[in-house]
Amino acid sequence: MRTVLMVAEKPSLAQSIAKILSRGNMSSRKGLNGACSVHEYSGSFLGQSAHFKMTSVCGHVMTLDFIGKYNSWDKVDPAELFSKAPTEKKEANPKLTMVKFLQVEGRGCDCIVLWLDCDKEGENICFEVLDAVLPVMNKPRGTERTIYRAKFSSITDTDICNAMNHLGEPNRNEALSVDARQELDLRIGCAFTRFQTKYFQGKYGNLDSSLISFGPCQTPTLGFCVERHDKIQSFKPETYWVLQAKVNPEKENSLTLDWDRVRVFDREVAQMFLNITKMAKEAKVESVSKKEKVKQRPLALNTVEMLRVASAALGMGPQHAMQIAERLYTQGYISYPRTETTHYPENFDLKGCLRQQANNPYWAETVKALLSEGINRPRKGHDAGDHPPITPMRAATEAELGGDGWRLYEYITRHFIATVSADCKYLQTTISFSIGPERFTCVGKVVTSPGFTEIMPWHSIPLEESLPHCEKGDLFPIGEIKLLEKQTSPPDYLTEAELITLMEKHGIGTDASIPVHINNICQRNYVTVETGRRLKPTNLGIVLVHGYYKIDAELVLPTIRSAVEKQLNLIALGKANYHQVLEHTLDIFKRKFHYFVDSIAGMDELMEVSFSPLAATGKPLSRCGKCHRFMKYIQAKPSRLHCSHCDDTYSLPQNGTIKLYKELRCPLDDFELVLWSSGSRGKSYPLCPYCYNHPPFRDMKKGMGCNECTHPTCQHSLSMLGIGQCVECENGVLVLDSTSGPKWKMACNKCNVIVHFFENAHKVRVSPETCDLCEAALVDVDFNKAKSPLPGDETQHSGCVFCDPVFQDLVELKHAAMRHPMHRGGQGKRQGRGRGKGRRPGGRLNPKKPKDKMAALAAYFV
């Protein structure tokens, strides 16, 4: 019996597909990485009996990155990233051990069926999966085929079974186009981002962005927003005048007429027209015309239109809307939400999809009427050859989906019903009047057949007052004629919906990546989302775009990226060579980068006007160890310390508060320590600004605080305050937070585990002695007599946090489940932690300190 491995893109999809193919008769188990399940069942495959193993990945298995030293901002010139810097594929999420998991499940399998999403990214993941499992699968006999690709657009029984019966092959060219895009974005984005971030953050203190990023798609996206901002700023309002006339066909009602000249910009000319018309006492009907007009039903729904409507009508950002749509797809409610197609294939079961909606109270009547009277064929749209338009695949209720999920599903369903409904028909009556020599018009509309506007009422023809019945030559008394003074108004800031339209028009990004680029410019603090989901550029966003225009407009204009996207599409179609496109594009951007670096002074001039230099920003906080003057704390992102005397800047941990730590100094460099805290319920630890940026020992990395410092004698170091190995992560150590009293706690120096203990204790100290059972450091606790929870009214006790029964009820873990047997209702100190799980860093035997520790101390001062 052959064994067939099947891989989907997400765990929920794997379960749904396995359920359909096995008709619910399958066994399930968790995979070794804990995130993916394996569903097994028996059946037939290509006419032979087979055992199926259905599992999944969690998106991309691999990611592209530079190797080793090229990831360091300090060691490498950004210009090297265009060609010299080698790249490698790394696991996208090392914690998931996805490659190992796939190899374990793929070992001994004869065939593989790839159920990844059917788009370019999906094809790319196909080959990532194949690279992992092919080496461990059984070798094919002769020319036997072992790799199959399932093509599907929705998670329905029909579509999945149909895909299984018509298996194809993965598309290498589409996968290569994704590889090319990844490498271009990595090399170009990193080079520009590193250069401009280091250049400007080293000079200005109030940029308020931790990263001044550049992206081949992100920057033109920002360019559209700034272009609209510039139009608003440069707009000069002009005064104009409009002639408004009212006639009274009946005594009660008056009819407002529109002037055929629309408006004039000269006050005297407008006054002349007013004087001429005021001489007439009656308005004469010159013509009456009636025309039947049609408002067309919408085209079938694609991704870009869905994102536009979600932003404009539902108030959802594109990223959020896409996440909801993906969830609805994986749960089987809608078809695949990433598609550029607005045309249904001839064999698409429109009636079947419509029947699913026949019992929903919101649109049951409309659906039943369509089914009985016959549906209209949807309008002919664009066929991009990817997936059918977004369509509801099964009925749902508001209670099932809830909130935003229901609102998006309701729109998708209403849109689908509208595409198979009739067009809206209305009668338009136009009456033309003359008042003296001037012509005026009045238009009225009456709906004759509402068609699709019944299901999409927001598209309906607005109700208007009915026009009076009249014929050519009829005269009506004039109620009033007046001159209205108005002003031209500037355009408003771009809405997300308008930005999506511009991006699609200019070929910036794909239907899948458009939400990501918009989200990026928001997160980088280049634009803010105002009311009505309008995007208003910040000072930083404006200056950057103006700087790019000043140096090299092509960096921000959509033309060059649009050309690159066309080249990438040619790779996907097999009409362009992957290596040639990559080499050519990188060569263009490398030249642009060198010119940008040489001309950066042009952008710097704009920055000087809008932002303050480092020396003029921030508040004095702690003393520099070199000059002993106060350094300024700059709170704007990224928060940092700057010594204006030495002209040095020291980065700090982000997303927390920084304050002076008791005016204590680092024994190595005499810098005053600062305390970083994530809040009263979170972690806090002291750090030396100099050591944080220049690690003093070989076993330390940049960005480590005192809770990870291996100094042998400093009272704030890991060596003196470390208690035991973290109960959750592998490499972390639980370190006493000596500032936390009277609500004492110890926190892991790697993950987010916090252990609260000995509340209201007067003193808590880490003892040099260790526990005989688990090798963790013992803790000396000193309570006030009035508040002591210790037995026999004792006020002092020394013991192991993990093993001592006296401490058992005084220790409480936050953020994670405690794995120590003592805190699972264990029977006291006989139960150790198993293989020294609680042991102190360095172990009970306290092995010799590295020989070069003191040498490193000496070298530190050089």
Side-chain angles (χ1 to χ4, degrees), residues 6-21 26 37 39 54-57 59 115-118 152-156 160 326-332 334 336-337:
M6 305 207 289
V7 184
E9 195 159 315
K10 294 182 187 75
S12 54
L13 280 177
Q15 186 180 2
S16 303
I17 294 168
K19 214 172 193 175
I20 292 168
L21 293 175
M26 62 183 187
S37 297
H39 312 282
M54 179 83 199
T55 187
S56 74
V57 290
W115 289 86
L116 285 306
D117 288 354
C118 299
F152 58 101
S153 296
S154 62
I155 314 300
T156 58
I160 296 299
E326 282 177 359
R327 196 184 78 223
L328 292 173
Y329 160 68
T330 55
Q331 291 172 342
I334 63 171
Y336 193 61

Side-chain angles (χ1 to χ4, degrees), residues 723-734:
I723 292 175
Q725 193 174 332
C726 177
V727 293
E728 284 295 311
C729 66
E730 289 302 313
N731 304 319
V733 176
L734 292 167

Side-chain angles (χ1 to χ4, degrees), residues 14 50 164 176 179 224 245 272 334 501 519 622 632 655 659 760 803:
M164 192 66 182
L176 280 174
D179 282 338
F224 292 130
M272 178 195 74
I334 63 171
T501 305
N519 191 49
S622 68
K632 283 188 172 178
N655 305 320
K659 58 185 180 186
N760 297 321
C803 306

